[in-house]
Amino acid sequence: MIGIVDYGMGNLFSVSKALERLNAPYFISQYKDGLLEADALLVPGVGSFRDAMEALNRTGLTKTIRDFAATGKPVLGICLGMQLLFEESTENGLTKGLSLLPGKVERFKGKTDQGESYKVPHMGWNKLRFTGDSPLLSGIEEDYVYFVHSYYVKAADTEVLVAVGDYYDVEVPAIVGSGNIFGMQFHPEKSSEMGMGLLRNFTELAAERKAKL
């Protein structure tokens, strides 16, 4: 059973509908006791990093997510949820994140080092390049996924990079992972066959965890 963290800033409808299409059992909760009993945790997110962390801190879910991660069970952050996994963000002032992965979240500059201007947010379909190994990539081929974001992760350790996408002169971390912690900067539920395949692989990690127990 996958627990979806409800802290008031996630696109719960689209994520839950994607899990239903995969016939993956899930529940949505804002309560510690229920979430800690899940086989895997999904942290969605839309909006501001600072607002999200304030909501998680206010509800006590910051500790819940960290405690869950410490059990070794799979955790997946999507879009803003992926950014929250890292140490800090400069959005609306420096804000501390969940610190489950090393790195910092910064805004696209809107201009390349050569002076070429580009649009922010980064919105649309970009093709991924695989740069690391991950159970999320099982049976998956490089393809296009759908992004909507103005901030991106600058990972402090390239070992956490699983897949990247290029946006002008920025190499955008698109899939990250270390141990039981995973993140996708794009929206897998809106990314056609590749996105659903990646989500399916995460649901299988949850099923494997349940089988072991």
Side-chain angles (χ1 to χ4, degrees), residues 12-29:
L12 302 178
F13 178 80
S14 64
V15 171
S16 61
K17 287 301 178 183
L19 294 179
E20 288 175 14
R21 292 199 297 274
L22 294 170
N23 295 314
Y26 74 90
F27 65 93
I28 299 171
S29 179

Side-chain angles (χ1 to χ4, degrees), residues 111-129:
K111 183 176 289 188
T112 68
D113 290 341
Q114 292 71 40
E116 180 184 5
S117 296
Y118 59 85
K119 290 183 179 180
V120 179
H122 169 209
M123 182 181 299
W125 295 83
N126 271 24
K127 190 172 184 179
L128 300 190
R129 290 182 287 109

Side-chain angles (χ1 to χ4, degrees), residues 81-138:
M82 171 182 136
Q83 296 179 3
L84 296 174
L85 301 176
F86 287 82
E87 294 169 298
E88 58 187 17
S89 172
T90 60
E91 186 173 6
N92 297 326
L94 195 65
T95 303
K96 296 295 183 182
L98 294 168
S99 297
L100 298 177
L101 294 174
K104 185 176 184 179
V105 180
E106 295 188 353
R107 194 177 193 276
F108 286 109
K109 294 179 180 178
K111 183 176 289 188
T112 68
D113 290 341
Q114 292 71 40
E116 180 184 5
S117 296
Y118 59 85
K119 290 183 179 180
V120 179
H122 169 209
M123 182 181 299
W125 295 83
N126 271 24
K127 190 172 184 179
L128 300 190
R129 290 182 287 109
F130 296 159
T131 58
D133 295 323
S134 171
L136 294 183
L137 300 184
S138 178

Side-chain angles (χ1 to χ4, degrees), residues 26-42:
Y26 74 90
F27 65 93
I28 299 171
S29 179
Q30 57 184 312
Y31 300 110
K32 170 185 175 180
D33 292 342
L35 291 170
L36 289 178
E37 293 301 314
D39 302 303
L41 207 63
L42 197 156

